[in-house]
Amino acid sequence: MARIAVIGAGMGAMATAARLAVAGHRVAVYERTATYGGAVRRFERDGFSFDTGPGLLPLPAVWRDLFVKTGKEPLEDLVDLVQVDPSSRHVFADGTEVRLPNASRAGVVAALDEALGAGAGARWGDFLVRAREAWDRSRRPLLEEPLWPNWSVLAEREPYPAVPHKRLLRTRRAGTLAEVGAWELRDPRLAALLDSHALGYGLDPGAAPASAAVLPYMEFAFGTWYVRGGIRELARAVYERCVARRVEFHFGAEVTGVLEKDGRAAGVELAGGTVAEADFVVGSGPWRLDDLVRGRELYGDEDVEPGPEGMAMGRVVVCLALRGAREAGAAHRTVVHAPDRQAEIDAFGLGEPPVRPTVRVDRPDDPALRPDEGHESVVLTATVPSQTRYDWTASGAADAFADRMTEAAERALPGLRERVLWREVRTPVHTYEETGAEGGGVPVPALAAADGAFLLPSNSTRVPGLYAVGGWSHPGGGLPHAGMSGALVAGLIVEGPDFRGSQ
C-alpha cells in the first residue's frame, strides 16, 4: 500500500483519488479552498440555484466507468442523469433559428434542411461522417493513452479527412476549423454552428486545426446530458464515492511545495510548515507544479509544453433569477450567435471581451433550481480572454459586460430584462479565486495536428513519482477529459510506466 498525496480536489484529481483508493492505496487530498469540484461550482441565493461551471455533460460513459470501477453503485443510482432534447437551439445572426435533436443524425439533418434550406442538412451530415473518422483515428492515442515521448505522431498527422477544394487555381484541403466551415459547409450559419463548439472552449476557429471537428462530433454522436439538481451533483457524487473508499480530504490546506528525496517525489509541504510524506504526489495543473517543485524542470524539449498564450480563455457567467414560469417546450440550451463572428474573434486576438458576444443560455427544467413554479433560474455564459487588459474588478466593468450579454440573450428570450429579479455576475477573477488557474483561464481539450500546439503537458513529469492530472494536463479540459485524465494517472501509478491505457 502506497501513500499518495493529491493536490487539489478538482474533478480529475478526485477521479484519480477514487481509483487509487480502490486499488488499495492510502490517499489524502489537500484542497486550498473550502470545497471540492474545482470549476464545477454552484451559486445559491433566495431559493435559486445555478451551475457556474459546465451546464451539461457530454460523453457520460467516462463517469459511468469511474463508478463501475470504484464500487457497486452505478452512476445512475447516485444522480438523476437525463438526456436533454433538443440538444440545443441556435439563433443565428440573421435571425434564423433551428432546434437540433439529441443524438439523432437523421433528425439533425431534417431540422437543418427545414431551417436553413434543402442541402444544408446533407452537408452537415457528411461533415459528421468525416468528423467520425477523425474521432476514430485520434480517440485512443489522444484521449485513452498517456502522452508518450513519440507524441509527434499526434502533432504531425491531421486525422480529419478534409475534402479537396479548388481555390485560386489550386486544390486545397481544409487545415483549420474555419476552413472546414467555409469550404465544406458553405453556409455562414452552418459555419457558425461549427465554430460555436470551438468558441465554447475559447478556441479560435481560424487557428484550431481541422481535427477540432471531434468537438461537435462528441455532442452529436453521444448526446448531451443533464444531472438534475445541476452538474454540481456529479461533483458531489464523485466526492462521496471518494469518501466511501476512505480517501482523506483536507480542506483549507494549501500546498506550498513538493518534497523530494533521493531524486523522487516524497510528499508535500503545507502552508504553516506542516509536512505530509507520500510515495507519490499528484497535482492539478503542470503550471502549479512548476511553482511547487523548486529548482527542477518538469518538462523537457522532448515533452509537450503548455499550449500557446492564445489558448488562455475564460468565461463570464451571469446567473439570472427570473420572475415568471419557464414556458413549456423551452430548450434547455440556446446558443445566441454573435452578429459579427469575425469581430468577436478579432477581439479575442486583442485580449478584449467582444462588444457583441456569442451567448449560451441555459434554462434547465429543474424544480430543484428555483423557489417555486412561478420563477425560473437561467444562466448566461460568454467566452472572454483570461489574459486581458480589461479590468473586471473596476467599478461597473463586470456589470457593463453582463448588460451586453443579457441584451444578446434577449434575441432568444424576448422580454428577458423585464423578468430579472436580481443577478449575480461571475468573471475570470472568480475562476482564479476558485481554481487558481492563472488569469481565470479555462482549459481546452487536447487536439491532434497543428505541430502539437493544442496538446497538453503529459501526466508524467521528469520527477519520478510526480504526476499531473486535470484539465491543464493531458488530455485537456472538459468534464469527459478530466475523467480520462484521472484514469490515466491512476493507471500510471498502479501499473507503472508501461501502462498503455484501459482496454
Side-chain angles (χ1 to χ4, degrees):
M1 178 178 71
R3 299 165 301 172
I4 299 170
V6 179
I7 306 170
M11 296 299 285
M14 289 197 297
T16 305
R19 290 176 182 272
L20 289 173
V22 167
H25 299 296
R26 180 180 175 184
V27 185
V29 176
Y30 301 92
E31 167 59 48
R32 66 181 184 86
T33 71
T35 190
Y36 53 83
V40 182
R41 298 284 177 123
R42 172 188 288 151
F43 178 77
E44 297 177 317
R45 174 182 159 189
D46 300 340
F48 292 90
S49 185
F50 309 86
D51 275 328
T52 60
L56 290 173
L57 176 65
L59 205 59
V62 172
W63 296 98
R64 290 191 181 110
D65 180 73
L66 172 72
F67 282 84
V68 167
K69 299 290 177 55
T70 61
K72 297 179 180 179
E73 310 91 348
L75 176 61
E76 278 83 354
D77 282 359
L78 301 171
V79 300
D80 189 359
L81 189 62
V82 294
Q83 204 168 15
V84 300
D85 198 24
S87 174
S88 59
R89 170 191 175 212
H90 290 260
V91 179
F92 297 107
D94 65 354
T96 306
E97 295 189 22
V98 64
R99 296 165 69 97
L100 301 175
N102 201 337
S104 171
R105 180 176 179 272
V108 167
V109 168
L112 289 172
D113 275 344
E114 182 178 353
L116 308 186
R123 290 196 297 277
W124 183 261
D126 291 343
F127 157 74
L128 289 180
V129 172
R130 294 188 292 275
R132 176 179 179 175
E133 187 169 340
W135 171 262
D136 290 341
R137 289 176 175 176
S138 62
R139 175 181 58 85
R140 184 160 182 80
L142 187 66
L143 303 177
E144 298 177 355
E145 296 180 350
L147 194 62
W148 305 114
N150 63 342
W151 59 266
S152 59
V153 175
L154 277 172
E156 296 166 357
R157 180 185 180 189
E158 172 55 74
Y160 180 78
V163 176
H165 171 82
K166 285 193 174 181
R167 183 174 176 85
L168 300 177
L169 303 179
R170 296 176 56 195
T171 298
R172 301 275 305 275
R173 291 180 182 268
T176 67
L177 202 65
E179 290 173 343
V180 171
W183 300 352
E184 298 180 10
L185 298 178
R186 305 191 309 279
D187 183 306
R189 295 162 299 184
L190 288 179
L193 173 60
L194 174 62
D195 289 352
S196 67
H197 291 84
L199 290 171
Y201 284 106
L203 291 167
D204 176 357
S211 65
V214 299
L215 300 179
Y217 175 77
M218 287 174 60
E219 174 182 321
F220 285 92
F222 306 114
T224 51
W225 302 74
Y226 174 68
V227 180
R228 293 203 183 277
I231 297 297
R232 175 70 177 176
E233 288 298 291
L234 175 64
R236 174 197 56 77
V238 176
Y239 167 71
E240 291 180 354
R241 175 54 55 88
C242 287
V243 172
R245 298 302 170 261
R246 299 186 179 181
V247 174
E248 299 175 9
F249 281 85
H250 304 271
F251 295 106
E254 182 179 2
V255 175
T256 57
V258 171
L259 305 177
E260 289 188 64
K261 183 178 180 180
D262 298 329
R264 63 172 289 118
V268 296
E269 180 180 337
L270 304 174
T274 303
V275 170
E277 295 183 351
D279 302 297
F280 297 91
V281 176
V282 178
S284 299
W287 43 270
R288 182 179 291 130
L289 291 180
D290 278 329
D291 293 334
L292 299 178
V293 180
R294 303 180 179 96
R296 291 289 298 273
E297 184 180 25
L298 295 184
Y299 297 94
D301 293 339
E302 76 276 13
D303 299 300
V304 181
E305 295 286 355
E309 292 183 4
M311 291 172 62
M313 302 295 287
R315 294 182 186 135
V316 174
V317 176
V318 181
C319 306
L320 297 177
L322 304 183
R323 61 172 64 87
R326 180 184 188 271
E327 69 271 21
H332 184 115
R333 170 163 294 176
T334 298
V335 180
V336 183
H337 294 263
D340 188 338
R341 192 165 75 258
Q342 189 56 53
E344 180 178 38
I345 294 170
D346 290 344
F348 293 162
L350 295 173
E352 299 174 353
V355 174
R356 303 181 74 182
T358 293
V359 175
R360 188 184 75 202
V361 183
D362 281 351
R363 306 177 66 190
D365 186 11
D366 189 345
L369 305 186
R370 53 186 182 250
D372 53 54
E373 292 303 316
H375 295 85
E376 184 180 6
S377 169
V378 171
V379 176
L380 312 181
T381 306
T383 302
V384 296
S386 61
Q387 304 292 335
T388 178
R389 294 170 292 186
Y390 193 81
D391 184 2
W392 293 108
T393 64
S395 178
D399 280 330
F401 190 73
D403 287 341
R404 301 207 296 269
M405 290 174 61
T406 306
E407 180 182 358
E410 205 160 26
R411 290 171 46 205
L413 280 72
L416 173 63
R417 282 176 285 191
E418 285 70 30
R419 297 178 59 197
V420 177
L421 290 169
W422 53 263
R423 73 185 184 189
E424 171 76 9
V425 183
R426 302 176 65 82
T427 72
V429 175
H430 295 88
T431 305
Y432 170 72
E433 292 171 350
E434 293 174 354
T435 69
E438 186 174 354
V442 177
V444 301
L447 298 172
D451 296 325
F454 294 87
L455 297 177
L456 281 293
S458 60
N459 307 112
S460 302
T461 73
R462 283 192 165 187
V463 179
L466 178 64
Y467 297 88
V469 72
W472 296 100
S473 55
H474 180 71
L479 278 173
H481 297 73
M484 295 174 189
S485 180
L488 292 175
V489 172
L492 287 167
I493 291 175
V494 172
E495 299 189 25
D498 292 331
F499 173 66
R500 288 295 184 268
S502 58
Q503 300 298 320

